[in-house]
Amino acid sequence: MTALRLPRTIACVGRNFADHIKELGNARPKEPFFFFKPAQSVLFPGAGPVLMPKGCDLHYEVELAIVLKKRVDEWTGVRADLKDIVKGYCVAIDMTARNYQETAKIKSLPWSLSKGLKTFLPVSNLIPFSAIPDPHNATLHLAINGVTKQHDSTGLMLFDIPRLISHITSVMPLDEDDLILTGTPKGVGRVLPGDVMTAGVAVDGREVEEGRIEVPVEFRLSGYVSYSNTTKWAKPPQKKREGKK
């Protein structure tokens, strides 16, 4: 299997599945809405666990991501033209600190903290372009400890892939190996340390092997801590203090 190359830019489309918009109580956008995750948040297959900081209400969001094959600027193509600019795909899990995100919304702040912590973007290997003949007719799925949480068709996207690429590259150019995450279906929810996430994509009922993800979640014992967001479900185990000898 072929690993992804580290992208320079990761554009993430939000609110692109109607039922997901409803479950979070958000407004339906009139045009594609996107934000960014830093390249340093990427977690390659086998590179370790997702790390959950103290004070984090950590949620999963499975998505199909587009991998570009060349620089794309102000693209105006249609579905038949995707082969000219898309190298392939991958499955990605957009990990989100939901309580950080809600605080940012209330204060009209960026989502960088809630979306950009290290290990917050597990990805699969590169899925060849030919393995998903129609990216609008595939099934995304995610399970926690073997229990299915998300399972929906990419055909439910509100804005199709050409519209997403056209919109984002009308704002700025994207380069080879950059990623566009196309949105998550309904079923997002909380994940805790000790849980194992599995995710993937299927075409005509057949699993795409390159798209498989299996990754555990563990506490992050160092680095950023948001004391204002500390919650009862996000407290790492305390180290026992040794008695005096």
Side-chain angles (χ1 to χ4, degrees), residues 52-196:
M52 188 183 95
K54 180 181 179 181
C56 174
D57 180 15
L58 185 61
H59 283 216
Y60 53 81
E61 300 182 5
V62 68
E63 309 197 22
L64 182 68
I66 303 157
V67 185
L68 296 177
K69 73 191 304 185
K70 64 180 183 180
R71 186 176 179 85
V72 182
D73 188 13
E74 298 185 9
W75 188 76
T76 57
V78 296
R79 293 187 183 191
D81 301 321
L82 288 174
K83 63 182 183 302
D84 299 326
I85 62 168
V86 176
K87 178 182 292 187
Y89 307 94
C90 74
V91 174
I93 307 176
D94 175 16
M95 304 306 299
T96 303
R98 192 69 71 199
N99 52 335
Y100 299 180
Q101 185 185 41
E102 292 304 317
T103 297
K105 287 180 182 178
I106 293 168
K107 296 182 178 180
S108 298
L109 296 173
W111 293 1
S112 303
L113 180 60
S114 65
K115 296 284 190 175
L117 288 156
K118 69 178 181 181
T119 74
F120 266 33
L121 188 61
V123 295
S124 72
N125 287 302
L126 176 67
I127 301 172
F129 183 83
S130 60
I132 304 181
D134 181 1
H136 306 93
N137 186 26
T139 301
L140 286 167
H141 59 86
L142 180 142
I144 305 297
N145 303 325
V147 179
T148 298
K149 300 294 185 178
Q150 292 185 274
H151 190 278
D152 255 325
S153 171
T154 55
L156 296 174
M157 290 183 193
L158 299 177
F159 301 105
D160 71 0
I161 289 173
R163 178 76 170 92
L164 300 180
I165 298 175
S166 174
H167 178 74
I168 294 169
T169 62
S170 75
V171 177
M172 62 184 189
L174 295 174
D175 290 314
E176 181 180 2
D177 295 310
D178 283 350
L179 300 181
I180 299 175
L181 275 63
T182 57
T184 191
K186 68 180 184 298
V188 303
R190 184 176 300 153
V191 68
L192 296 169
D195 288 339
V196 176

Side-chain angles (χ1 to χ4, degrees), residues 2-39:
T2 303
L4 297 179
R5 294 174 63 186
L6 190 68
R8 293 176 61 185
T9 301
I10 304 169
C12 306
V13 176
R15 304 175 189 177
N16 202 26
F17 286 76
D19 286 343
H20 173 58
I21 293 173
K22 291 178 183 177
E23 71 182 351
L24 292 187
N26 291 320
R28 182 167 175 160
K30 295 182 179 179
E31 65 179 17
F33 159 75
F34 69 98
F35 56 91
F36 299 102
K37 289 179 84 87

